[in-house]
Amino acid sequence: QVQLVESGGGSVQAGDSLTLSCVASGDIGSIGAMGWYRQAPEKQRELVGTWIAGDTVNVQDSMRDRFAISRDNRKNTMYLTVNDVEPTDAGVYTCNAVTADQKTGAHRLYWGQGTQVTVSS
């Protein structure tokens, strides 16, 4: 079992920078990949980017100029930094984690509860 808790959301001004955190606990060693997702109001949830064990990070092409993902393995925390925040960045940001059972090879997907970001211009 893995538990994920996001934090860092709130109200920000357009043009500011924002860093969100996703803290993982539980069976940390089984995590093979993590991801950040965003769901804007009245829109479907979309992938922002991923971290893969071995410290490979990918951010969607359309977001790469302002979004960055990193992970502090000592703190079991993945971060999402958004620079020059825009009103369209508002929404619920959620992280997930994919685990792999070393014995069975079975994969499981876990989700956090999300953190809300509102942007004022």
Side-chain angles (χ1 to χ4, degrees):
Q1 291 280 340
V2 170
Q3 295 77 42
L4 302 171
V5 178
E6 302 94 337
S7 64
S11 180
V12 296
Q13 294 277 340
D16 285 351
S17 292
L18 174 70
T19 297
L20 307 177
S21 302
C22 171
V23 180
S25 61
D27 191 8
I28 301 300
S30 67
I31 295 176
M34 299 179 72
W36 276 108
Y37 290 77
R38 176 178 72 184
Q39 185 166 18
E42 300 181 0
K43 292 189 177 180
Q44 289 188 331
R45 184 166 56 193
E46 61 178 334
L47 175 67
V48 176
T50 58
W51 168 89
I52 300 172
D55 286 333
T56 299
V57 172
N58 290 292
V59 177
Q60 293 289 81
D61 288 347
S62 61
M63 301 178 180
R64 196 166 295 168
D65 60 337
R66 298 188 298 111
F67 289 70
I69 292 174
S70 61
R71 191 173 191 263
D72 186 333
N73 293 326
R74 296 169 300 175
K75 296 182 178 180
N76 298 320
T77 301
M78 180 176 64
Y79 301 97
L80 174 65
T81 298
V82 185
N83 296 309
D84 192 19
V85 172
E86 299 177 353
T88 53
D89 294 328
V92 178
Y93 287 77
T94 309
C95 66
N96 71 2
V98 178
T99 63
D101 187 302
Q102 292 187 351
K103 294 182 179 178
T104 67
H107 291 78
R108 293 191 67 176
L109 179 63
Y110 297 89
W111 289 91
Q113 291 299 310
T115 185
Q116 177 80 48
V117 173
T118 59
V119 182
S120 56
S121 56

